[in-house]
Amino acid sequence: MGKILYTDFEKVEDIISSMMDSPQLKKAITRTNIYKFWDSILPEKFRGKSKPFSMLPGGIMNVACKNPIVAQELSLHKIMLIKKFEPYAKSMKMRVTDLRFDPKKWNSVSDDE
């Protein structure tokens, strides 16, 4: 058996650089960062009871809620929440036009933590 030479290694810097050029990765990082601001716009009593889990085309953010009561209460505050979220979204060159609250997704989202 012939001797195998391992000389065609790629540098870690080159691999990371090519990954960072990926539009999908950039979008995922931006979404993850914008989700971090969610608790800062919520009224105190709702913190920890809801969590963004996806973005739909057109700037629609899906939010998992601990129960239907939280979903209903947050939907009553939807316009205020969108206005409070606007500066954070603009700073990341995103827009949030609507919020959809889903209590059915809470278990799958809260298990990810």
Side-chain angles (χ1 to χ4, degrees), residues 52-80:
F53 69 90
S54 71
M55 289 288 290
L56 297 174
I60 300 167
M61 180 183 286
N62 285 317
V63 180
C65 298
K66 191 171 186 174
N67 57 50
I69 296 167
V70 172
Q72 178 65 32
E73 285 282 328
L74 288 176
S75 68
L76 296 173
H77 295 285
K78 183 189 292 191
I79 294 170
M80 179 222 26

Side-chain angles (χ1 to χ4, degrees), residues 25-55:
L25 183 62
K26 286 180 182 178
K27 188 182 277 188
I29 290 170
T30 302
R31 285 180 180 176
T32 301
N33 285 335
I34 203 164
Y35 294 165
K36 292 179 183 179
F37 293 112
W38 179 249
D39 276 345
S40 65
I41 68 160
L42 287 177
E44 184 72 34
K45 67 180 179 177
F46 296 114
R47 292 185 184 155
K49 296 179 182 174
S50 63
K51 183 176 180 181
F53 69 90
S54 71
M55 289 288 290

